Amino acid sequence: MLLNKTRLQNAVDAAALSSAVALDQGKTQQIAKQEGIATLAGALSAGDFSQLDDAIELTGLNYATADLSSQITVEFSLQPDPFIPTTDPTADYVRILVDEVNLASYLARIMTFDKWISASAVSGPSTAIDFCNTNVLPMTVCLCDTADCAAAGDSASFGYPHETLMAMKLASSNDTDIGPGNFRLLDFEGLNGANGIRDAFAGKYTGEEFCFSKTDDSVVTKPGNNVGPTAQGLNTRLGIYLGQFKKESDTYPRDKSTCVGEELAVTEDRDVIYEADKNSDAPVDVNDEPGGLYRHDDYDNDYSNASASSACLAGGWDGTGGDRRREFAIVVSDCSGEDTGKSSLPFEGFACFFMSQEVVQTGTDNFVIGEFLNDCTGNGSPSYDTSDNDGPYQIVLYRNPSNKDS
């Protein structure tokens, strides 16, 4: 009986989630009922659920009322707790109850014991999601929506094509339009002047959670020109120690792999080219030509086969170095309406980036060259702040006060 009660609870949980997803997609409450019951029927059709399937009648249901049958009730509410049934079409919380399920009794009859079970579940949108990352640098790039971004059909996130070599410009406070591919510093709590910027880009805060959501203004840009400190901090990841870092190689170890391969340069149009081709009229597209590049796939392979002898591992690998220091997350924000100075930008997510070589200087500009890997925002966690109304959320299960097993 207890085993079947657990199975029934799981089936009803799935049904409630299915109904809540249907509501979230803008479907009517009647359609949401039908999709929830379809999920319930699918669960009951599994071989282990045969006793429940025999005991629950799913034919002849009346979807026009809350009581679909004498056993099944589906109700909607404007809030999860207290759950107050309503016919308001904007209600986006659903409760499904399956009651009076009489399981077959054998020896239990001798003790005049009947096996009646029930289950209920409540589902709907969570409070706003806080997205957190423990390997994020205090910098933001804009959503990419220009001709320089991913072409239609490309594998991309935030408008940036995956696994494509690109150059991100280190923007200063004098850049009036940071634009896609430029990044602006963020004012993380605890950063203190140029030294704080150096330390942050060298990885001082790796392991600490930095959380954002679209419902707040916590993505705040940091004014000031810190291009030099930013470059110094990033270059420690490749074992290049300048300025104060000459004495801090133990604090900020190089990546286990400092392999670079053929050096790359950046043109005035921000095209990434081979260093040897920078004066050529027709430079080779490095994303189409393998050449002697060291790409993220090579980096991954070296971490998987550290004892192997690849072209770059000889002298480029240090088993005592830091793990995957050349991978990090950056914040993506919506820069429409962005102004100079200290600005609040809507948070859009985290993008993971691979640093392929040391920071490149072109004229008065510095560039970080590497691969935009993917969207690594993750699922996030509900904020549990009941005042949250907008922003990203998940469809979740809530505890039903009338059913301690929910």
Side-chain angles (χ1 to χ4, degrees), residues 140 184-187 216-223 333-347:
T140 185
R184 178 69 58 82
L185 298 178
L186 292 180
D187 195 12
D216 57 38
D217 294 327
S218 60
V219 182
V220 179
T221 60
K222 183 179 181 64
S333 57
D334 182 355
C335 302
S336 57
E338 197 273 341
D339 199 358
T340 57
K342 193 164 187 173
S343 307
S344 294
L345 303 176
F347 169 77

Side-chain angles (χ1 to χ4, degrees), residues 138 170-175 178 183-187 193-194 197 201 220-230 338-343:
L170 300 175
S172 73
S173 59
N174 298 322
D175 293 300
I178 64 174
F183 71 74
R184 178 69 58 82
L185 298 178
L186 292 180
D187 195 12
I197 293 295
F201 277 81
V220 179
T221 60
K222 183 179 181 64
N225 188 343
N226 291 284
V227 172
T230 299
E338 197 273 341
D339 199 358
T340 57
K342 193 164 187 173
S343 307

Side-chain angles (χ1 to χ4, degrees), residues 164-397:
T164 298
L165 283 163
M166 61 177 289
M168 291 195 303
K169 180 182 172 184
L170 300 175
S172 73
S173 59
N174 298 322
D175 293 300
T176 56
D177 179 13
I178 64 174
N182 291 4
F183 71 74
R184 178 69 58 82
L185 298 178
L186 292 180
D187 195 12
F188 279 2
E189 184 178 354
L191 295 185
N192 184 19
N195 287 340
I197 293 295
R198 286 189 183 94
D199 291 343
F201 277 81
K204 179 177 182 178
Y205 302 100
T206 299
E208 296 183 15
E209 279 199 337
F210 292 96
C211 302
F212 306 92
S213 79
K214 293 182 182 178
T215 61
D216 57 38
D217 294 327
S218 60
V219 182
V220 179
T221 60
K222 183 179 181 64
N225 188 343
N226 291 284
V227 172
T230 299
Q232 286 185 11
L234 282 171
N235 283 336
T236 64
R237 298 167 184 266
L238 283 162
I240 301 169
Y241 298 96
L242 299 174
Q244 71 176 41
F245 291 115
K246 290 180 179 179
K247 299 179 181 179
E248 298 187 8
S249 59
D250 292 337
T251 304
Y252 303 108
R254 48 162 276 186
D255 193 304
K256 282 183 168 65
S257 169
T258 56
C259 298
V260 170
E262 190 163 351
E263 291 283 345
L264 299 174
V266 182
T267 68
E268 292 182 358
D269 296 327
R270 196 179 291 175
D271 293 324
V272 180
I273 61 173
Y274 292 113
E275 174 73 23
D277 292 331
K278 67 180 181 180
N279 296 319
S280 170
D281 293 332
V284 176
D285 185 341
V286 296
N287 286 297
D288 293 334
E289 172 61 42
L293 298 176
Y294 187 73
R295 303 294 294 265
H296 185 258
D297 284 345
D298 301 314
Y299 180 76
D300 260 347
N301 185 62
D302 283 345
Y303 264 90
S304 300
N305 305 282
S307 59
S309 55
S310 74
C312 216
L313 280 184
W317 184 266
D318 178 4
T320 65
D323 278 326
R324 295 187 175 272
R325 292 252 293 141
R326 293 166 67 176
E327 293 176 337
F328 45 79
I330 52 181
V331 174
V332 182
S333 57
D334 182 355
C335 302
S336 57
E338 197 273 341
D339 199 358
T340 57
K342 193 164 187 173
S343 307
S344 294
L345 303 176
F347 169 77
E348 295 295 330
F350 293 113
C352 276
F353 193 83
F354 167 66
M355 181 181 178
S356 62
Q357 66 182 61
E358 67 180 283
V359 175
V360 171
Q361 182 170 355
T362 301
T364 58
D365 295 327
N366 285 345
F367 293 90
V368 183
I369 297 178
E371 292 180 58
F372 183 100
L373 301 179
N374 49 47
D375 176 350
C376 53
T377 305
N379 292 325
S381 301
S383 66
Y384 303 110
D385 181 352
T386 56
S387 65
D388 286 339
N389 294 312
D390 301 316
Y393 55 87
Q394 296 171 325
I395 300 299
V396 298
L397 290 168

